[in-house]
Every structure is written in C-alpha cells, then in structure tokens.
Amino acid sequence: MSNNLSYNSKVEAATSHIYDQLKDIIPEVEWPVHAPYIAMINQLKSDHNAIILAHNYQTPEIYHGVADYSGDSLGLAVEASKTNADIIILCGVHFMAETAKIINPEKKVLIPDLLAGCSLASSITGDDVRLLKERHPGVPVVSYVNTSADVKAETDVCCTSGNAVKVVESLDTNKVIFLPDNYLGKYVAQQTEKELVLWEGTCEVHERFTGKELLDYRKSIPGIEIIAHPECPPDVLAEADFVGSTSGMINYVDKHRPKKIVMITECSMSDNVAVEFPDTNFIRPCNLCPHMKRITLPKILNCLQNFEFEIKIDDDISSKAYSSVKRMIEIT
Ligand code: 13P
Ligand code: SF4
C-alpha cells in the first residue's frame, strides 16, 4: 500500500459511511485530514491481523473511525483476553496496554505513544505496596487497574470502577487495602461493611469537578440528569443521579434515554456517546485527559507501519500481575 495520505475518491468511498455518523461533531473541513488515515489504518489492520481496542475517552475519529472494540478498562481487559488477533493496538493509556500484555504475554501489544500515562498509576510504586503490606500484615490488596504492572504484581486482586465493590466483597477478610484512588476507595467504603485502608492517589481530570458545579447545572438547566465517574470527589458523587464506570454511564444513557444530561467525566465521552443518541441533549463540560489525548491517528498508523511501540514486561512481574488480573476477570 502506498503512503499517499491524500483525500481522493477511493478514500472518500471507503470512509463516507463513517463520516455520515460523525457529521454533527466533526466539521466537514476536517474530514479530508482524518479520512486518509482512517482508510489506511483499516486496510493495514486487516493485512496484519491486528485489532484496535480503544478506551471510551478516545477522540471520535478513533472511537468511531478505526476501533474494533471500544469500552471501559474492564471491557478492554476482557476483550484482550478473548481476541485471536496477532497484534493488539491499545488506544488508551499505558496501564491499559500493559494490562492487555499481561493477559497476552505471547502477543505483540502496541501503544501509539509510550508517554500516555495516568496520574493514578504514577501515584504509587511496587515498593509502596510492599511497605503497606508490611504495615498491615495479612490484609489483602485490591488495586484499581489504573496501576503499573509492578503494583499489580504485589496485588491480590485487581478491580475497575465497574466491579470495585464486587471485588472487595469477594474477599473473606474484614479489612482490605484499596489503592490507589482515594475517591473511588471512599465511594466503595460507603457500600461495604469492610474497613478499607486507602491511598492518596487521585485522577487529575476528575478531581477538578466540584459539587457546586453540579448544583449550578441543576439550577440553570431544569430537568437535567447528572451522571458521574467514581473517580470524582465525594461532594460530586453525592450530587449525581448515577455513578458508574465509563461504560456504566453509556448504559445509563441507553436505558434512560434522558432529554438532557451532563456526564461528569472526560470530554470525549459526550462527543462519542452523542453520536449514538441524537435525541439526547448532552451538556459538555470539558475536562480533558492530556494522556489519552496523546493518541492520534498518525501515531496509530505508525504502530501498523513500524510495529512500535511495543509493551515489554519482565516475565516474573508479568506472571504475578497476571494472577491479580485473572482473578478480577473471574470474579466479574
Ligand atoms: P473506566 O474503567 O470507567 O473506563 O475508567 C478508566 C479511567 O481511566 C477513567 O478515568
Ligand atoms: Fe488516568 Fe484520569 Fe486520565 Fe483516566 S482520566 S487515564 S484516571 S489521568
């Protein structure tokens, strides 16, 4: 295939059905920039038996244009465990690609940008977890998947925002170390009798929302429904009509078909979901995740042309981390 990235009639024919879906959120003048990448990525994907797994926070041209599967962290992990593809391209942040590699040590797992990090994952190291375990002997560790492989290797069972309460409840101790998201931990603590030992990690995107902001939405937009991600501070969660993972939020919209809604989470979510629910009015606050936004179509194309950037994990760490991820998938 040539490297010609011009917008010609062949590219237009291959991508017009995608643009039909996106015309309300991507201006017409931008499409000739995205479309050649989308056409070439989709062609190379099938040539190389590659699959693109994209998180719900990816931009619409990735989410609707090239992803074979899109979902929350749990969905991505489950999908990675089922795929027959030879190459997995994870369009999301580093811990998500690492999780896919932990589940598929034999496969090539690529991330379009190795610097796509996460403030939660960088808030804690394997050494920190070892110290916590020394301080609380015999207390099991539940780690949010937003952690490095090193932390997962020190973990008894992983969780995501979609299954955290279920995972904590599955343990037969009265006390559980829950890390690293302090706000998710506090939210889980409200729904279990168990005592949780928490860490001080926060998501730099969700911690910026405030309860006052939500009250202002209610006052200024009568009838608005408010749904929030559990990484938000407690005053935000207390004011929300529903709290759930990114896929939980999409399911809420699907089930309730609200007239007006605000999703208290990263900005691309509303753009992506609005495409599927044209009768709902999405109020769109924009708190952007700078790490998720490092992933772009040109970088995805680079993955498929040069087979970079490959996720590598030390065998010993990978096999220990695998037990905690596998246990989570089994519980869920
Ligand atoms: P979800 O698992 O709900 O998609 O959340 C992942 C994440 O990073 C949210 O900030
Ligand atoms: Fe991490 Fe927050 Fe970005 Fe999610 S939104 S990847 S938790 S920094």
Side-chain angles (χ1 to χ4, degrees), residues 136-153:
H136 302 278
V139 178
V141 176
V142 172
S143 294
Y144 197 27
V145 282
N146 298 41
T147 44
S148 64
D150 202 22
V151 167
K152 288 186 176 79

Side-chain angles (χ1 to χ4, degrees), residues 57 93 95 117-120 146 203-206 231 289 291-292:
Y57 294 162
V93 292
F95 77 80
C118 168
S119 65
L120 280 167
N146 298 41
C203 160
E204 67 188 81
V205 177
H206 291 92
E231 289 168 11
C289 175
H291 312 290
M292 288 280 179

Side-chain angles (χ1 to χ4, degrees), residues 283-323:
I283 316 304
R284 305 180 194 197
C286 201
N287 280 1
L288 196 138
C289 175
H291 312 290
M292 288 280 179
K293 265 49 205 185
R294 294 189 86 96
I295 310 302
T296 61
L297 290 173
K299 290 180 189 173
I300 299 170
L301 180 59
N302 178 55
C303 281
L304 284 157
Q305 289 178 325
N306 299 309
F307 305 107
E308 58 188 13
F309 298 95
E310 197 171 346
I311 300 289
K312 304 247 186 217
I313 310 173
D314 174 89
D315 285 349
D316 186 41
I317 289 180
S318 182
S319 66
K320 285 187 192 150
Y322 179 64
S323 329

Side-chain angles (χ1 to χ4, degrees), residues 110-130:
L110 305 174
I111 184 164
D113 188 326
L114 279 168
L115 295 179
C118 168
S119 65
L120 280 167
S122 60
S123 74
I124 189 159
T125 64
D127 282 341
D128 293 325
V129 187
R130 283 185 278 279

Side-chain angles (χ1 to χ4, degrees), residues 92-288:
V93 292
H94 193 268
F95 77 80
M96 294 174 177
E98 252 189 1
T99 307
K101 180 69 181 176
I102 289 165
I103 296 169
N104 294 283
E106 306 307 327
K107 288 192 203 268
K108 205 184 262 301
V109 176
L110 305 174
I111 184 164
D113 188 326
L114 279 168
L115 295 179
C118 168
S119 65
L120 280 167
S122 60
S123 74
I124 189 159
T125 64
D127 282 341
D128 293 325
V129 187
R130 283 185 278 279
L131 278 172
L132 274 172
K133 291 203 284 195
E134 272 173 34
R135 206 172 291 164
H136 302 278
V139 178
V141 176
V142 172
S143 294
Y144 197 27
V145 282
N146 298 41
T147 44
S148 64
D150 202 22
V151 167
K152 288 186 176 79
E154 293 296 329
T155 294
D156 292 280
V157 47
C158 284
C159 76
T160 69
S161 53
N163 61 18
V165 176
K166 198 169 180 179
V167 166
V168 166
E169 284 291 303
S170 75
L171 296 164
D172 56 9
T173 54
N174 294 328
K175 196 169 171 182
V176 172
I177 298 171
F178 186 95
L179 52 90
D181 189 344
N182 191 270
Y183 294 150
L184 175 65
K186 285 183 172 138
Y187 181 67
V188 172
Q190 290 170 4
Q191 296 167 71
T192 176
E193 296 289 305
K194 294 183 195 291
E195 180 192 344
L196 300 191
V197 177
L198 301 181
W199 188 251
E200 289 295 323
T202 50
C203 160
E204 67 188 81
V205 177
H206 291 92
E207 71 178 351
R208 302 210 305 267
F209 291 104
T210 64
K212 154 122 186 22
E213 209 176 325
L214 270 58
L215 281 171
D216 289 345
Y217 283 124
R218 286 217 195 276
K219 271 191 220 141
S220 59
I221 312 170
I224 192 163
E225 293 181 40
I226 300 180
I227 62 177
H229 194 277
E231 289 168 11
C232 293
D235 62 332
V236 170
L237 301 184
E239 188 53 42
D241 298 309
F242 170 78
V243 175
S245 77
T246 54
S247 290
M249 292 166 103
I250 298 173
N251 293 341
Y252 179 96
V253 177
D254 192 17
K255 192 168 159 206
H256 294 257
R257 304 289 169 137
K259 284 201 170 56
K260 289 174 272 186
I261 194 161
V262 58
M263 293 178 144
I264 304 298
T265 190
E266 209 267 350
C267 354
S268 288
M269 268 281 286
S270 297
D271 291 340
N272 291 333
V273 183
V275 169
E276 282 153 36
F277 301 97
D279 297 331
T280 295
N281 178 9
F282 289 82
I283 316 304
R284 305 180 194 197
C286 201
N287 280 1
L288 196 138

